[in-house]
Amino acid sequence: MRHRPLHVSSLLSVLLFACGSTPPASPPPPVAAPAVVHVSPGTASAPPESPPDPDAPIHIERAAEAAPWVERDSKQIELWEASPRVNDVVHPINPILGDLRAKAIEPGAIVLQSRVGQLVITKDGVRGVVPKGVRFVGVVTSGEVFAENEGHAPFRAASVDDLIAGKQTPVVGIDRVFDAAGMFVVAARGGVLVQSKDGGKTFVDVPMKGSVEHAFVRADGVILAAAAGRKPAETWSTIDAKGKVVPVRRALEAPLRWGGFILHALKRDDFGQVQEASVLTKDGRTFATLSLPEQIQGAEFVSFDPWFLGAEMNSGLPWEGDVLAAAPEKPGRAKFGVLGPSGMKELDVPAEDPSEQSGISLVGPLRQPARPVCEGLRCIHELRGIVPRNPASSLVGRFFDDALCKRLFNKPCEKGPLLRGPTIGIFHWSTRAFLVRPTPEGCEPLSLESLRGLVILDCRKDRFVSDASGVFFREGSVDTPTKGYWGYTMAEDGTLLAQRVESGSIIAAALRLPVAPGAAGAWRNVVRSGGVTYTVLPKGAVLVATSNDAGNELTLTLDAPEGSKELVAKVPVTRPVYAIKVESGYPELHFFDGQRPGAARISRRGALIDVPR
């Protein structure tokens, strides 16, 4: 269902998105909320009746308390982190999920060990995380799930979703449940190995002497069991479907079961991908060293990105749990198929289309473009970053790659709504809480932004907002996007500025009041003709800097809920400006020509006042 990962820096995919995505346009204006603006000539203590000093620098005072959802301490989000070094090799891994390892690969579920817990995926997408202290055992044909708690007490759940929700029923008369596959369950009762052939309804003894320590079972009824208290080379035995016990007569290295593959001595390459293992073949007696199928690697790979990467990769390839359900033949390459009542039905698994693989190949070094030649305020346009550095956030939202679309086999998705939107994962760095939420109904997803306690979900027609509760509220319509990407900045009280940038120019700007998710009139448009920078300020305000076409005249306007006020107009600008910032309430021009001082404030008369550094 998922593609094999490519071992390249995922920062390249950030550049790819920034250059080719289609983000949404600006939201509609909201109902204005009252606020008070003070524009003082110098110190805040100046009497209000005193006339402003035209030669003093412009100063803006808009202090406000932070909204309840604004994070006090935030963590800068990184898309990837380096894995632990193996043979001097590191590879990128997801900083939230970590290096994923398959605990189970079944027709009914794939369970991956991750940093957030045991992540469960079914044909219906990512379902959630197994409750803490619970060991996932297996899924039988009916969809019923078997598991154990920390004390090894066995229980069952009617479905994967019930297991995740904590809806459990004890398994009566059984001490432990070791494994479950197809219609078979292996367990211990009074220390003796027992099995069920009817999905766990009844259990009978297995003709194996002594007490049992552990066991695995395939969907065809073949068992690999470990006797307690024996030497390593005498521990393991296989039991076929007819009950014949055959000693393995060698020690097994970390045995496990993935579908029909009972294996040990698993080898991974330096990038952590499975290579080969000693596998119990279909006859139930012989172990053979085999190269493991790439579907195992595909089962362990999950994309978890802030951008929706499409559904092409998810609806054409067979489900890995089905492909790996049957045991391999021996010797030679394994055959894969779906195990059914009439035996194994082989599947024609098409070769991966390289054009649909996730990631991009690095064919040469990335070179920084030459510094552009520019003048005055036009330099802001020329030097604006390719990808914005959005505010840090401990609350992080990401898309899983489990969307489904209408498509013919091995063809691109048809235009129109998705059959199933991608599942959204929301993680909090501080509390370590992890929530799984569906994409809101009707949303054609584009991107998720995590911003100091808020998660912004942009769809092709709507914008949704959530906080740490994980509940998404619609906050307005968005026109169908054309080009560019959204960049965000936030004031200390939670006022949020969204800017859409195309080729260095701001083509849309919208401001969100510091209100709870779902509040009416949260957004308003603030874009102005000739706008070169927009600086977010508390209490729902923004400082807009506009320029003439030549880039040598600056006008500053304060746009607030209570109204718009021009602070200064047509200020001559001759030095190259790379940014306009508000420092301690003072608007400042920042230059990059190497001259000193490197910044200047602006008087009400329109003169530049050097800021010593």
Side-chain angles (χ1 to χ4, degrees):
M1 188 175 77
R2 289 167 295 281
H3 283 287
R4 297 174 62 184
L6 296 181
H7 306 295
V8 295
S9 171
S10 290
L11 293 179
L12 292 176
S13 64
V14 179
L15 298 179
L16 182 64
F17 170 82
C19 296
S21 68
T22 56
S26 311
V31 178
V36 179
V37 179
H38 301 285
V39 180
S40 67
T43 62
S45 60
E49 65 272 9
S50 300
D53 181 356
D55 296 317
I58 294 172
H59 187 258
I60 304 171
E61 295 180 2
R62 293 190 70 84
E65 293 292 328
W69 46 261
V70 175
E71 296 171 350
R72 294 180 179 272
D73 299 309
S74 297
K75 179 181 177 67
Q76 186 62 52
I77 305 167
E78 301 296 343
L79 290 176
W80 299 98
E81 69 177 43
S83 68
R85 188 176 298 273
V86 178
N87 295 330
D88 292 328
V89 174
V90 297
H91 62 278
I93 61 175
N94 190 284
I96 298 174
L97 301 182
D99 220 351
L100 299 175
R101 293 289 183 264
K103 301 292 289 184
I105 305 175
E106 308 285 0
I110 292 174
V111 181
L112 302 176
Q113 187 62 51
S114 73
R115 289 178 179 174
V116 300
Q118 299 173 74
L119 191 66
V120 185
I121 308 169
T122 72
K123 294 176 184 178
D124 294 325
V126 176
R127 308 309 298 165
V129 178
V130 175
K132 291 183 179 179
V134 172
R135 183 182 78 87
F136 182 94
V137 172
V139 186
V140 294
T141 304
S142 66
E144 196 171 39
V145 181
F146 286 84
E148 290 184 335
N149 64 20
E150 290 179 307
H152 302 302
F155 61 86
R156 69 180 87 206
S159 65
V160 165
D161 290 345
D162 279 359
L163 175 71
I164 293 170
K167 299 177 182 179
Q168 307 164 0
T169 302
V171 180
V172 180
I174 296 297
D175 302 327
R176 288 199 62 182
V177 174
F178 296 121
D179 197 10
M183 294 297 294
F184 295 90
V185 182
V186 286
R189 182 169 57 195
V192 176
L193 182 65
V194 295
Q195 71 169 332
S196 172
K197 299 181 181 180
D198 55 10
K201 296 177 183 178
T202 59
F203 287 86
V204 296
D205 291 351
V206 175
M208 179 178 173
K209 295 180 180 180
S211 59
V212 66
E213 192 171 82
H214 199 71
F216 302 96
V217 65
R218 296 190 317 213
D220 59 2
V222 171
I223 299 171
L224 176 69
R230 296 187 183 179
K231 297 178 181 179
E234 301 173 355
T235 297
W236 294 94
S237 299
T238 63
I239 304 103
D240 64 19
K242 296 180 180 180
K244 184 179 180 180
V245 180
V246 178
V248 174
R249 301 192 186 285
R250 60 167 159 167
L252 300 184
E253 179 185 341
L256 57 91
R257 183 183 65 82
W258 287 330
F261 289 67
I262 294 178
L263 55 91
H264 79 107
L266 172 66
K267 290 182 172 56
R268 295 179 180 268
D269 63 16
D270 293 342
F271 294 101
Q273 296 183 358
V274 295
Q275 294 296 293
E276 64 178 29
S278 181
V279 183
L280 183 63
T281 56
K282 188 176 181 180
D283 64 10
R285 298 184 302 274
T286 309
F287 277 90
T289 299
L290 301 175
S291 295
L292 294 174
E294 64 181 12
Q295 283 78 14
I296 293 177
Q297 181 178 317
E300 289 191 324
F301 175 67
V302 173
S303 174
F304 195 52
D305 292 300
W307 304 291
F308 178 56
L309 302 178
E312 289 86 353
M313 66 183 72
N314 297 296
S315 58
L317 296 177
W319 170 249
E320 291 94 338
D322 289 339
V323 175
L324 300 169
E329 302 281 356
K330 69 130 186 138
R333 185 168 178 167
K335 295 180 180 179
F336 315 111
V338 179
L339 191 66
S342 60
M344 185 178 72
K345 179 182 178 182
E346 292 189 18
L347 292 174
D348 181 17
V349 181
E352 246 181 34
D353 181 357
S355 66
E356 292 187 357
Q357 290 180 336
S358 59
I360 54 177
S361 298
L362 180 62
V363 295
L366 283 177
R367 296 181 178 178
Q368 295 293 333
R371 172 170 288 189
V373 177
C374 58
E375 295 179 351
L377 297 166
R378 298 183 66 179
C379 293
I380 295 176
H381 171 276
E382 299 293 340
L383 299 176
R384 200 184 306 274
I386 297 177
V387 178
R389 188 71 164 175
N390 287 331
S393 183
S394 293
L395 185 70
V396 184
R398 292 285 187 265
F399 290 119
F400 286 103
D401 61 333
D402 59 354
L404 290 178
C405 63
K406 296 180 181 178
R407 60 175 290 181
L408 297 175
F409 185 74
N410 215 24
K411 298 293 183 180
C413 288
E414 297 178 9
K415 293 183 179 180
L418 296 170
L419 293 176
R420 182 178 72 217
T423 302
I424 297 172
I426 299 177
F427 177 71
H428 201 292
W429 286 101
S430 300
T431 64
R432 316 306 290 181
F434 185 76
L435 303 175
V436 171
R437 295 290 185 263
T439 300
E441 186 176 354
C443 169
E444 296 183 48
L446 294 172
S447 64
L448 283 165
E449 291 291 347
S450 307
L451 306 161
R452 293 190 62 192
L454 289 183
V455 175
I456 309 293
L457 168 61
D458 276 334
C459 309
R460 291 196 179 276
K461 296 181 181 179
D462 301 292
R463 174 170 283 156
F464 294 82
V465 178
S466 175
D467 54 16
S469 69
V471 179
F472 281 93
F473 295 91
R474 183 180 179 276
E475 288 197 345
S477 298
V478 178
D479 294 334
T480 301
T482 53
K483 298 179 180 178
Y485 57 86
W486 286 102
Y488 295 86
T489 52
M490 184 179 288
E492 288 304 309
D493 70 335
T495 300
L496 180 65
L497 174 66
Q499 303 176 79
R500 197 168 79 200
V501 180
E502 178 188 346
S503 302
S505 297
I506 298 172
I507 60 175
L511 202 75
R512 186 184 188 278
L513 297 173
V515 292
W523 294 87
R524 77 174 187 275
N525 293 330
V526 294
V527 70
R528 288 174 179 258
S529 177
V532 290
T533 65
Y534 296 78
T535 304
V536 65
L537 299 170
K539 295 182 179 179
V542 61
L543 179 66
V544 184
T546 55
S547 169
N548 60 349
D549 291 341
N552 57 12
E553 288 184 351
L554 170 69
T555 297
L556 293 180
T557 302
L558 182 66
D559 187 326
E562 64 272 19
S564 179
K565 181 176 183 179
E566 188 176 276
L567 304 182
V568 67
K570 297 184 178 180
V571 178
V573 178
T574 57
R575 294 174 63 184
V577 179
Y578 74 87
I580 300 175
K581 303 178 182 179
V582 176
E583 304 283 359
S584 301
Y586 294 97
E588 295 182 356
L589 305 183
H590 289 253
F591 310 107
F592 80 106
D593 54 5
Q595 300 179 27
R596 296 295 178 185
R601 293 174 180 170
I602 308 162
S603 74
R604 296 181 61 86
R605 195 190 298 275
L608 299 185
I609 304 170
D610 290 341
V611 178
R613 293 287 188 239

